[in-house]
Amino acid sequence: MRILHYGLGYSPERTGGLIQYVTDLMKEQVKQNHEVAYLFPGKINYLNSSTKIKRNKSRIEGIISFEIINSLPLAVFGGIKEPQKFLKKVDHSIYSDLLEKFKPDVIHVHSLMGIHKEFFESASNKEIKLVYTTHDYFGLSPNPTFFFNGKSWDEENNLNYWLNVSQGAMVTQKLKVIQLPFYAKLRDTIKKFKKNSFQKESYYLLKKNEEFPKESQINFKKLKSYYEEIFKLINYFHFTSSLAKEVFEKNISHTINGELVSITNSTILGGKKQIKLDINNIKKVTYIGQYAEFKGFYDFIKLAESCEDKSIQFEIYGENIDIALPSNIINKGRFSAKEREQVFEDIELLIIPSRWKETFGFLVLEALFYEIPVLISKNVGARDIIPDFCILDKKKSFEFVVDLKSFKFHAREISNLYERATQYKNC
């Protein structure tokens, strides 16, 4: 099978679970003798604003790379400030020529960030099936987490939400910085200066539609429709969790076809794992993630503050920034990939108190792989693969066995999903 993936790029320029998943999946598909190509948003050319696709030297053996020069902006920092910049039209030939050259049997889309509607229209015109994996909510929402002002807005997804969330968004010129070739090094430098500058998230005064400029109202209405039209062109949805499926079905007005297949990555080896928690023997509780409200960070802090047992130590991993903490919490900052195994082997209980409705959550899988008991909020999509009693505020002592699937097995699941998608007659 010839498979064209669309994702956000490669590590180290891009980071996160989506990047890891796409990379792992493409590598495994090559091993399984598929022909694989990768399309991603690349450089911004400030001297020539026209969009084109450039074939790059392969960065992963066996995978053809296509870079979009002057893609749409990447709204990875929590929203869209200038909607008109995300509505730019391009000639269909930019994408139809690519599809004519590679001739994919299926296109696997992992994000709507950076990609033009003309890509989806060109694929549809050539009757190439489009499969979409629900890694985040961008397109349903201008903020990929759906989280704003202290709550998830997936049940109030109207024009007013799109207008209000724009208050905290970056201007497009700043968003384009992340597409500079040297951004990865710049990002690391910024993080070093970020130390000692921790600030809580800002809350914004919610406004009525008429309080926003008329032009903004018109453009955000157009943008909301723009993504609705793209979702209509998706033939088959790969839902990463029942939670993601619920959010997508609730926020897309037309009937959508697809199936639920939980995801994994190549660091998670298959096999049975024994998970046991005796809450009375726990002396250390751990949080891993961004020090941010949408991740439930402040809920973890409150948990530590409310703990009456002074023999229990709490620890946080995630960011190299100083922050005022209760005396029973140790800030251990970031850890490297080389340190990961040692960090996880020292964990007694992992808490994942996420507030945004995580479409999956690899952290749960990592904990299970190391046979670490984990307690999660109901907002973690990976709740599908663990018993209900692992949800916070429920039973606190338990024992169960989980059978983790290998990535090789998962890649075959995705191949079978492609087969069903390409054979689906009413897409």
Side-chain angles (χ1 to χ4, degrees):
M1 183 176 280
R2 296 175 69 84
I3 306 160
L4 174 64
H5 289 269
Y6 173 76
L8 297 181
Y10 293 99
S11 176
E13 294 89 350
R14 304 285 176 264
T15 58
L18 184 156
I19 304 302
Q20 182 178 16
Y21 177 77
V22 178
T23 304
D24 286 345
L25 182 57
M26 290 191 298
K27 287 178 179 177
E28 187 58 40
Q29 287 174 340
V30 169
K31 289 179 185 176
Q32 295 181 4
N33 297 316
H34 296 294
E35 295 181 66
V36 180
Y38 189 30
L39 175 67
F40 62 93
K43 301 180 184 69
I44 297 295
N45 187 333
Y46 287 93
L47 301 177
N48 182 349
S49 62
S50 62
T51 298
K52 64 179 181 179
I53 294 175
K54 173 186 174 184
R55 179 167 175 170
N56 280 355
K57 182 180 179 181
S58 179
R59 291 173 61 170
I60 299 175
E61 188 176 350
I63 297 169
I64 302 169
S65 283
F66 295 106
E67 177 184 3
I68 305 173
I69 307 298
N70 295 325
S71 70
L72 289 176
L74 303 183
V76 296
F77 290 117
I80 291 171
K81 179 72 78 176
E82 301 163 289
Q84 66 277 12
K85 301 286 180 67
F86 290 74
L87 292 164
K88 180 184 175 183
K89 292 179 181 285
V90 294
D91 196 293
H92 283 82
S93 64
I94 293 169
Y95 291 113
S96 60
D97 288 352
L98 166 68
L99 299 178
E100 193 59 42
K101 286 176 185 174
F102 184 67
K103 298 188 183 323
D105 298 304
V106 65
I107 296 171
H108 192 160
V109 178
H110 299 270
S111 176
L112 298 193
M113 289 190 203
I115 191 77
H116 303 83
K117 184 170 70 170
E118 286 79 7
F119 171 69
F120 299 89
E121 291 172 337
S122 297
S124 183
N125 290 338
K126 291 182 179 296
E127 298 185 342
I128 303 168
K129 299 299 186 189
L130 287 150
V131 171
Y132 175 83
T133 292
T134 58
H135 292 287
D136 59 42
Y137 300 120
F138 185 79
L140 292 184
S141 159
N143 181 326
T145 65
F146 246 136
F147 195 86
F148 171 68
N149 258 29
K151 71 172 191 176
S152 179
W153 288 77
D154 61 292
E155 296 187 10
E156 301 174 68
N157 187 18
N158 51 31
L159 179 61
N160 185 252
Y161 159 66
W162 284 60
L163 288 163
N164 272 292
V165 77
S166 69
Q167 294 183 75
M170 284 188 177
V171 295
T172 306
Q173 201 61 33
K174 287 186 178 180
L175 289 178
K176 286 183 177 180
V177 170
I178 70 172
Q179 289 174 262
L180 293 172
F182 51 83
Y183 171 71
K185 292 180 180 178
L186 182 66
R187 178 188 62 213
D188 293 339
T189 302
I190 290 170
K191 284 180 179 177
K192 287 179 183 178
F193 282 108
K194 190 179 177 183
K195 193 170 184 178
N196 300 317
S197 63
F198 182 84
Q199 291 182 337
K200 279 194 171 186
E201 286 92 338
S202 299
Y203 275 58
Y204 296 87
L205 183 65
L206 298 179
K207 301 178 182 178
K208 296 178 181 178
N209 290 9
E210 55 268 24
E211 295 180 75
F212 290 90
K214 189 68 177 176
E215 185 179 10
S216 289
Q217 296 177 49
I218 293 170
N219 285 332
F220 270 110
K221 191 171 183 179
K222 286 180 181 177
L223 186 65
K224 198 169 185 295
S225 296
Y226 181 85
Y227 289 114
E228 286 171 359
E229 289 165 11
I230 288 177
F231 280 123
K232 285 179 182 177
L233 295 169
I234 300 293
N235 304 111
Y236 210 72
F237 283 76
H238 164 210
F239 300 109
T240 52
S241 67
S242 57
L243 181 62
K245 185 173 186 288
E246 179 185 314
V247 172
F248 270 82
E249 289 180 337
K250 190 186 302 174
N251 286 277
I252 291 179
S253 57
H254 62 278
T255 301
I256 55 179
N257 304 301
E259 59 189 277
L260 196 163
V261 178
S262 66
I263 57 177
T264 184
N265 63 54
S266 63
T267 68
I268 309 299
L269 305 180
K272 287 183 168 59
K273 300 292 178 180
Q274 183 87 21
I275 313 298
K276 183 177 181 179
L277 172 64
D278 182 350
I279 199 69
N280 297 315
N281 291 330
I282 293 296
K283 294 302 176 186
K284 185 168 60 177
V285 183
T286 304
Y287 168 93
I288 299 175
Q290 289 176 256
Y291 300 172
E293 184 180 21
F294 77 100
K295 283 288 192 179
F297 176 69
Y298 303 116
D299 295 316
F300 183 83
I301 300 299
K302 288 178 183 176
L303 175 67
E305 288 176 326
S306 66
C307 182
E308 296 179 357
D309 188 342
K310 300 306 177 185
S311 68
I312 297 178
Q313 184 70 62
F314 291 79
E315 61 183 10
I316 58 175
Y317 288 95
E319 299 196 54
N320 290 333
I321 49 179
D322 291 336
I323 174 174
L325 293 167
S327 60
N328 63 340
I329 302 181
I330 299 175
N331 182 2
K332 295 195 170 181
R334 292 177 64 86
F335 57 86
S336 66
K338 291 180 180 179
E339 299 169 314
R340 177 177 297 275
E341 185 173 351
Q342 185 60 56
V343 168
F344 274 87
E345 286 180 350
D346 288 341
I347 295 174
E348 294 182 23
L349 171 63
L350 183 67
I351 301 284
I352 306 176
S354 190
R355 284 198 163 199
W356 82 282
K357 294 186 177 179
E358 289 196 46
T359 55
F360 188 70
F362 282 139
L363 193 53
V364 173
L365 272 180
E366 290 174 307
L368 296 177
F369 176 68
Y370 288 100
E371 297 188 317
I372 297 166
V374 57
L375 293 175
I376 67 172
S377 77
K378 63 181 180 180
N379 296 322
V380 178
R383 69 188 190 192
D384 289 346
I385 63 173
I386 54 178
D388 287 345
F389 49 67
C390 292
I391 293 177
L392 285 162
D393 300 326
K394 293 194 177 182
K395 187 177 179 181
K396 293 302 183 296
S397 292
F398 52 71
E399 185 173 356
F400 66 94
V401 174
V402 62
D403 194 358
L404 301 179
K405 59 188 175 185
S406 68
F407 198 82
K408 184 177 181 179
F409 177 85
H410 176 64
R412 287 198 296 268
E413 286 185 310
I414 297 301
S415 292
N416 292 336
L417 185 150
Y418 292 161
E419 293 289 346
R420 289 187 286 277
T422 54
Q423 292 170 13
Y424 198 85
K425 300 301 181 185
N426 296 323
C427 291

